[in-house]
Amino acid sequence: MQFYWLIVGVLAVWRITHLLHAEDGPWSLLLKLRALAGTGIFGSLLDCFYCLSLWVSVPFAYALGESWWERLLLWPALSGAAILLQNVSQRLQNVSQWTEQRSLYYEESEREHVLRKEENRAHANEAGSSRA
């Protein structure tokens, strides 16, 4: 098997698994499919990215592998690579959401500025009178 077929297989397994697991699809067909699956075994399968990627990777492992031993090893390898891609994409999405919510500007307290002499004198007088 050539290396680029492995990359294509990993990306295809991730894409199809993500489509079935998390996306609505055109005309909300996949959303309706997940609702139709309900809470039974197929509904549970569609709710778990890890489980779903294991089953989506079966036909890809069969098509890409040249021997039964290679197909047997490709099956969990394709699933594992799709899971890694999913985890990385979720973390990147969480970081981008966090940075959008975070304030990028921070203003220091005005009492600490040296340029306002009136305030600094008042603070010094208050400090001097409290010591006495």
Side-chain angles (χ1 to χ4, degrees):
M1 176 181 50
Q2 294 178 348
F3 184 72
Y4 68 88
W5 282 115
L6 178 65
I7 300 301
V8 168
V10 166
L11 292 173
V13 168
W14 176 81
R15 182 67 189 108
I16 292 171
T17 305
H18 191 271
L19 181 68
L20 293 172
H21 171 73
E23 298 178 27
D24 294 345
W27 306 288
S28 298
L29 289 175
L30 296 169
L31 183 66
K32 293 173 186 173
L33 174 71
R34 283 193 299 274
L36 185 64
T39 58
I41 193 165
F42 291 113
S44 297
L45 178 68
L46 291 172
D47 285 341
C48 177
F49 187 91
Y50 290 18
C51 304
L52 187 58
S53 72
L54 194 60
W55 294 110
V56 168
S57 66
V58 169
F60 288 95
Y62 182 78
L64 294 175
E66 296 173 358
S67 67
W68 284 105
W69 181 246
E70 195 172 276
R71 290 177 181 132
L72 190 63
L73 291 175
L74 272 174
W75 178 29
L78 291 171
S79 173
I83 289 168
L84 288 174
L85 279 176
Q86 177 66 11
N87 289 340
V88 167
S89 69
Q90 277 184 336
R91 285 189 181 147
L92 289 175
Q93 185 179 14
N94 291 341
V95 166
S96 68
Q97 287 174 354
W98 180 77
T99 55
E100 288 175 6
Q101 295 172 354
R102 198 177 107 211
S103 174
L104 298 177
Y105 179 74
Y106 174 74
E107 186 174 341
E108 294 180 5
S109 172
E110 294 214 13
R111 299 182 114 193
E112 299 173 11
H113 290 287
V114 180
L115 296 176
R116 295 192 182 188
K117 295 179 184 179
E118 295 84 25
E119 284 185 24
N120 288 335
R121 280 189 214 134
H123 290 302
N125 290 340
E126 289 173 9
S129 64
S130 65
R131 289 183 189 163

